[in-house]
């Protein structure tokens, strides 16, 4: 799916930012948990400055946010392609069969076979 209009671009960017926020929160939680484990078991980590510990957690959050944002963008594009394919299929179906009822279709087949 190509994002050509500004409204499509806005919708895609909002959806990707939603994914970034969710991924950053998830992976920052993982980073805090890993930091707590390292603080408990590694003496060298206890001596590490607080700002460096923050950077480690921040790296987890940014990496997770980037990953989740990309996944959300790919899913947005897939959903758009599926909608375009469905619309094209409906258009072709209408072109071939039209908006006829079952009785009208039976009459048309009877006329063509006679």
């Amino acid at each position: 799916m190509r994002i050509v209009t500004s409204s499509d671009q806005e919708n895609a960017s909002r959806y990707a930012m939603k994914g970034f926020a969710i991924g950053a929160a998830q992976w920052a939680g993982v980073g805090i948990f890993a930091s707590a484990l390292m603080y408990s078991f590694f003496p060298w980590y206890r001596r590490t400055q607080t700002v460096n510990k923050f950077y480690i957690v921040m790296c987890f959050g940014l990496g997770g946010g980037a990953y989740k944002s990309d996944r959300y963008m790919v899913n947005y594009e897939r959903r758009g392609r599926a909608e375009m394919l469905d619309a094209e299929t409906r258009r072709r179906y209408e072109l071939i069969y039209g908006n006829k009822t079952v009785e009208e279709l039976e009459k048309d087949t009877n006329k063509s076979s006679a």
Side-chain angles (χ1 to χ4, degrees):
M1 174 182 141
R2 289 191 179 160
I3 299 173
V4 288
T5 64
S6 63
S7 65
D8 285 344
Q9 190 175 15
E10 284 294 319
N11 291 337
S13 65
R14 281 193 194 108
Y15 196 67
M17 287 305 293
K18 175 185 172 186
F20 181 85
I22 291 170
Q26 287 176 342
W27 282 93
V30 171
I32 290 171
F33 181 74
S35 182
L37 283 178
M38 289 174 62
Y39 187 84
S40 299
F41 294 111
F42 298 117
W44 58 268
Y45 190 75
R46 284 187 210 119
R47 290 188 305 268
T48 304
Q49 292 180 357
T50 305
V51 72
N52 293 339
K53 293 174 190 172
F54 175 76
Y55 288 149
I56 291 170
V57 173
M58 189 177 70
C59 287
F60 272 93
L62 288 176
Y67 172 74
K68 201 68 137 172
S69 174
D70 182 59
R71 297 306 320 150
Y72 269 55
M73 183 59 83
V74 168
N75 287 336
Y76 182 86
E77 291 172 351
R78 284 182 183 162
R79 191 176 63 225
R81 272 190 244 118
E83 288 172 2
M84 286 173 40
L85 182 62
D86 288 344
E88 182 65 22
T89 304
R90 276 193 301 277
R91 189 185 68 77
R92 288 185 180 176
Y93 182 86
E94 291 297 324
L95 184 69
I96 294 170
Y97 300 110
N99 286 330
K100 297 181 180 179
T101 62
V102 176
E103 293 84 19
E104 291 173 345
L105 288 174
E106 288 175 0
K107 287 178 188 176
D108 288 345
T109 55
N110 291 337
K111 286 180 186 176
S112 64
S113 62

